[in-house]
Amino acid sequence: MHEFDPRLIALVMALRKQGIIDARVLSAIERTPRDLFVGEAFSHAAYDNSALPIACGQTISQPYVVAVSTEALAVNETMRVLEIGTGSGYQAAVLAQLCRRVYSIERHRSLHLEAERRFKALRIPNIATKLGDGFQGWPEQAPFDRILLTAAVTEVPQALIEQLKPGGILVAPIGDQPDSNLESNCQLLTKMIRTETGLKKEALISVVFVPMLPGMPQD
Ligand code: SAH
């Protein structure tokens, strides 16, 4: 049983120490077998509080960053949430336990298919996935209560702002890519609330995400 995996308990304790206080977020992380979302080569490190490489040169986010993002979204069980960048599917699997439905878009076919396979194997019924360009969002399913970008942008695409309900929350890493010589944290995970007049912004923590890229790759 994953609930009793000591590595998961240790991870949750580490997240508590780092200031994550939302019990629902902590318990969603505790119930999500992260080892099933990383490749075999890295499964020994699955419960370390660090980002890890996945296929297509992408990364599965650090659990701390998943926790901060999920906490900032302040979801409840009535909400529909759009995620850009399915990647391994880990963040979507955590979110799906706390909201009505997650809609997750990925531009790499192999990652998209692999994540779908995982959701099926784990019998997670409330994640809808789409192979596509997240810059377009998912207009057929809009508007969303919450939107989470798990790839970095220099500014939030207008199409996504338009797909967020008024009063809705969008969380995104905003900033440039790190200089390859410097391991600097150069994006700010930012929480935005859509108000009647625009967006109210609050910076959360420094992060390093892979960039959100336009269009579709050749795979
Ligand atoms: N949320 C993921 C981590 C994502 S890494 C997890 O929990 O594992 C960022 C992902 O965003 C990568 O898989 C990358 O391919 C994807 N991505 C980048 N640009 C995109 C775009 N325009 N549309 C959809 N996905 C994109």
Side-chain angles (χ1 to χ4, degrees):
M1 287 294 287
H2 285 288
E3 279 90 335
F4 301 109
D5 189 326
R7 298 173 302 172
L8 267 169
I9 293 168
L11 173 61
V12 165
M13 275 176 65
L15 294 174
R16 263 206 200 97
K17 275 204 185 123
Q18 283 180 290
I20 306 299
I21 52 171
D22 188 328
R24 293 179 326 129
V25 172
L26 290 167
S27 102
I29 287 174
E30 199 167 36
R31 288 190 305 256
T32 309
R34 192 168 184 256
D35 53 335
L36 303 185
F37 291 85
V38 304
E40 290 260 305
F42 290 96
S43 61
H44 64 281
Y47 295 99
D48 294 354
N49 196 1
S50 58
L52 293 170
I54 53 173
C56 305
Q58 307 302 314
T59 51
I60 174 172
S61 306
Q62 185 192 6
Y64 175 61
V65 175
V66 170
V68 172
S69 305
T70 308
E71 197 170 57
L73 284 171
V75 294
N76 69 38
E77 57 289 338
T78 70
M79 292 180 175
R80 298 164 67 251
V81 182
L82 174 66
E83 180 196 29
I84 310 298
T86 314
S88 68
Y90 177 71
Q91 169 74 71
V94 170
L95 265 176
Q97 298 173 55
L98 304 172
C99 67
R100 179 144 66 93
R101 199 166 191 82
V102 177
Y103 298 82
S104 187
I105 307 177
E106 171 59 53
R107 67 194 279 279
H108 279 287
R109 182 181 299 275
S110 54
L111 291 173
H112 159 77
L113 293 174
E114 185 71 2
E116 276 203 319
R117 195 190 56 70
R118 288 184 179 121
F119 300 147
K120 208 172 266 171
L122 288 166
R123 297 197 171 82
I124 304 174
N126 59 335
I127 302 177
T129 57
K130 169 171 158 155
L131 178 67
D133 177 5
F135 278 95
Q136 315 302 322
W138 198 327
E140 301 81 4
Q141 295 294 346
F144 298 95
D145 300 286
R146 303 289 187 255
I147 299 181
L148 174 61
L149 275 63
T150 66
V153 287
T154 47
E155 59 181 345
V156 180
Q158 190 58 35
L160 297 183
I161 296 171
E162 282 164 12
Q163 291 176 29
L164 181 65
K165 283 186 188 169
I169 298 174
L170 183 151
V171 172
I174 311 253
D176 298 323
Q177 284 307 296
D179 186 316
S180 53
N181 298 315
L182 292 169
E183 286 256 320
S184 59
N185 286 348
C186 58
Q187 300 147 8
L188 278 177
L189 190 67
T190 308
K191 170 177 173 170
M192 284 160 258
I193 303 177
R194 184 175 178 181
T195 64
E196 274 171 21
T197 49
L199 289 175
K200 191 173 142 254
K201 299 186 188 178
E202 179 194 342
L204 302 172
I205 54 171
S206 296
V207 288
V208 184
F209 275 85
V210 296
M212 187 162 155
L213 300 171
M216 301 298 285
Q218 297 298 316
D219 69 353

